[in-house]
Amino acid sequence: MVSRGTASVRGGTARSSLDDSTRSEGIGSEPTVSSRLGRYVLISPCRDEADYMCETLETVIAQSIRPAKWVIIDDGSTDRTPEILAEYAAQHDWIEVVTRRDRGRRAVGPGVIEAFYAGYDSINPDDYDYLCKLDLDLRLPPRYFEILMARMVADPRIATCSGKAYVDEGGRLVNERHGDDMSLGMTKLYRVSSFKAIGGFVREVMWDGIDCHRCRMHGWIACSWDEPELRFVHLRPMGSSQQGVLTGRMRHGYGQYFMGTSLLFISASAIHRMTQRPYVLGGLAILWGWIKSALQRKARYQDPEFRRFLRRYHWRVLLVGKKRAVDDILRQKGLIPSQ
């Protein structure tokens, strides 16, 4: 029995009819699947991930459909990360390691995207149907990429998607509670064509929110699903990778301010986060990160059209919920029938 807000990442058999029909046609046979679903490339920026990366490496190797290529960017690691990467690259010719100079510190936000592009620039994206920015602190279920690609084949409106992240809290797996209208930053699977059309990731804080809203501006879907076979374990909880969880929450508040989120919406979001560990303080830290940024008159994302779109979308979310707000955009674009 799983407690409310918790789940087993390995258990469960809930699948869509698409997933069941795909399996009946031979999803376990990799040549058949690859030719029908397409090819994907993984790009993984990392720094000092020796404590977590082996689980990610092993669960990617065990995927029912392996990536055509996996580019891992060592962003100046000082632990055993380079040694571990060398061992895996020697065993698997589809794993390639790109090494960057040590900048002397872990860089979140823009620094991660700089490292991502060091990998992206080493490939020809047109050789692949999909690409995924994948962190190296995850434990993935075995059919993760197979199912996501099948969903994207079935629905051409989906530009980017992911499963849901869970964290281990004393043996209980607890949902990190990301919105269904976002693909998660630690594992964003994209159609290459959509990724190029939105201009890729901005090299700014909140890159992993701006991209999903840009997809919606094009009339495409950005989404994530909370289903047993798409749940993955986030070995390092969201926002805890630099100076602790509260610092990460404040950074999130600043990122929302930068992106253009209103005080009303961030307040509602912060209240929602107060019911998640660290209780109350986590939500307050998000709100203070936004308010502090406003008081300091920090720069905001310099795209007025984007910020207007975001404000309209957030206002609609507060009024009718995320699903109806997304459907309204698709209806305006003529992608679903008018009511």
Side-chain angles (χ1 to χ4, degrees):
M1 180 70 65
V2 175
S3 303
R4 186 172 181 263
T6 69
S8 167
V9 172
R10 298 186 186 280
T13 57
R15 301 188 184 114
S16 70
S17 59
L18 168 69
D19 300 329
D20 290 330
S21 64
T22 302
R23 175 161 289 283
S24 69
E25 293 177 19
I27 199 75
S29 172
E30 189 164 338
T32 301
V33 173
S34 297
S35 61
R36 198 157 66 83
L37 297 184
R39 289 159 50 87
Y40 71 101
V41 57
L42 303 180
I43 301 177
S44 296
C46 72
R47 177 183 168 88
D48 294 340
E49 297 286 6
D51 291 342
Y52 307 104
M53 63 192 302
C54 287
E55 287 204 60
T56 310
L57 286 156
E58 290 296 332
T59 55
V60 169
I61 290 168
Q63 287 295 299
S64 55
I65 305 177
R66 291 181 182 172
K69 191 176 188 64
W70 189 2
V71 182
I72 304 176
I73 305 91
D74 177 13
D75 195 20
S77 295
T78 58
D79 64 359
R80 291 188 61 249
T81 292
E83 179 183 339
I84 295 170
L85 290 177
E87 292 174 1
Y88 277 88
Q91 296 172 26
H92 304 280
D93 60 6
W94 44 274
I95 297 178
E96 177 183 330
V97 179
V98 174
T99 302
R100 301 186 81 212
R101 181 174 55 85
D102 181 13
R103 67 165 67 87
R105 59 184 173 82
R106 176 181 290 275
V108 297
V112 169
I113 298 307
E114 287 177 11
F116 169 88
Y117 273 107
Y120 183 82
D121 291 343
S122 73
I123 66 167
N124 178 1
D126 294 329
D127 289 341
Y128 310 95
D129 302 286
Y130 311 95
L131 67 85
C132 178
K133 182 267 181 191
L134 182 74
D135 287 358
L136 285 189
D137 57 358
L138 312 175
R139 185 191 309 145
L140 300 170
R143 296 182 61 218
Y144 184 76
F145 290 108
E146 169 198 322
I147 294 172
L148 292 181
M149 288 191 294
R151 300 279 173 90
M152 296 179 87
V153 167
D155 190 344
R157 300 172 303 173
I158 299 174
T160 178
C161 61
S162 74
K164 293 291 192 186
Y166 282 72
V167 293
D168 190 334
E169 294 186 357
R172 296 168 60 246
L173 291 174
V174 180
N175 193 330
E176 281 194 336
R177 287 167 37 180
H178 297 267
D180 293 344
D181 61 338
M182 295 284 177
S183 61
L184 277 57
M186 65 287 286
T187 164
K188 283 182 174 287
L189 184 66
Y190 259 94
R191 295 183 195 276
V192 168
S193 58
S194 299
F195 185 77
K196 292 167 67 175
I198 66 167
F201 298 134
V202 298
R203 306 189 192 209
E204 303 280 0
V205 66
M206 216 61 192
W207 59 269
D208 55 343
I210 291 171
D211 69 310
C212 290
H213 293 299
R214 284 209 167 278
C215 286
R216 272 185 280 280
M217 289 178 73
H218 279 76
W220 298 328
I221 294 172
C223 61
S224 51
W225 295 284
D226 186 16
E227 299 175 11
E229 290 189 303
L230 291 175
R231 293 169 182 160
F232 58 88
V233 176
H234 197 185
L235 302 172
R236 179 166 42 206
M238 179 184 68
S240 65
S241 62
Q242 191 176 34
Q243 299 173 20
V245 173
L246 292 180
T247 300
R249 296 293 192 267
M250 286 182 60
R251 188 172 62 239
H252 179 75
Y254 160 60
Q256 290 285 347
Y257 171 83
F258 172 83
M259 185 169 66
T261 299
S262 68
L263 178 58
L264 177 63
F265 190 86
I266 198 62
S267 298
S269 178
I271 291 169
H272 175 69
R273 287 288 179 183
M274 287 181 187
T275 61
Q276 182 180 6
R277 291 186 180 181
Y279 299 119
V280 181
L281 292 178
L284 289 175
I286 290 173
L287 184 58
W288 173 240
W290 192 101
I291 292 172
K292 182 180 178 182
S293 300
L295 291 174
Q296 293 176 341
R297 297 184 178 276
K298 289 190 174 181
R300 307 194 88 166
Y301 184 41
Q302 294 302 304
D303 187 333
E305 181 185 1
F306 173 89
R307 299 210 314 263
R308 285 193 295 270
F309 173 87
L310 181 70
R311 295 288 182 98
R312 289 195 300 269
Y313 173 69
H314 279 169
W315 179 245
R316 192 65 179 154
V317 167
L318 291 174
L319 288 176
V320 301
K322 287 182 177 179
K323 185 179 186 308
R324 281 191 58 186
V326 170
D327 286 349
D328 286 347
I329 294 171
L330 295 177
R331 193 170 292 112
Q332 291 168 8
K333 299 286 185 179
L335 297 175
I336 60 175
S338 299
Q339 293 180 336

